[in-house]
Amino acid sequence: MDYLKAFLVGGLFCVVGQVLIDKTKLTPARILVAYVVSGVILGAVGVYGPLADWAGAGATVPLTGFGYSLAKGVKEAVAEKGLLGALTGGVTSTAGGIAAAIFLGVVVAMLFKPKPKH
């Protein structure tokens, strides 16, 4: 059942993103930023936490989950370290994902040669 919930929620995020790409003039970069910001906002108002608990990876893996993790990390760090936590909490809570993205980006760049579009 956990797999089904993750598939449905993650798939819904993908469908919304695809509709935004197809039906609006928004660029993919703006849609990605909107997803991260919406994850932060939904996490701040307390909506995204229960969704992430219910859907698991379907809610934590997409970009909205990254935004939620940033907001959650900042909230926890501010409670622990005060104002300084607002600057360090987001990066600390998402360090594993950021490090993996950088490392895998370097590996892929070394393995494949980019080709220009014609």
Side-chain angles (χ1 to χ4, degrees):
M1 193 62 169
D2 290 338
Y3 293 121
L4 180 62
K5 289 189 266 186
F7 177 77
L8 291 174
V9 172
L12 182 63
F13 285 140
C14 292
V15 166
V16 170
Q18 190 63 50
V19 168
L20 290 172
I21 289 171
D22 292 343
K23 301 295 182 183
T24 68
K25 293 185 179 186
L26 292 171
T27 62
R30 289 184 179 184
I31 294 169
L32 296 176
V33 169
Y35 267 41
V36 173
V37 171
S38 65
V40 170
I41 293 170
L42 292 173
V45 297
V47 173
Y48 207 85
L51 176 66
D53 292 339
W54 184 78
T60 57
V61 172
L63 285 171
T64 50
F66 180 72
Y68 168 67
S69 294
L70 284 172
K72 184 177 174 184
V74 168
K75 183 178 177 182
E76 291 171 358
V78 166
E80 182 180 315
K81 300 177 184 174
L83 188 57
L84 183 61
L87 302 174
T88 61
V91 176
T92 303
S93 69
T94 57
I98 293 170
I102 292 170
F103 174 73
L104 293 172
V106 169
V107 168
V108 169
M110 290 173 25
L111 293 176
F112 299 99
K113 181 180 175 190
K115 296 179 180 118
K117 292 184 179 181
H118 295 276

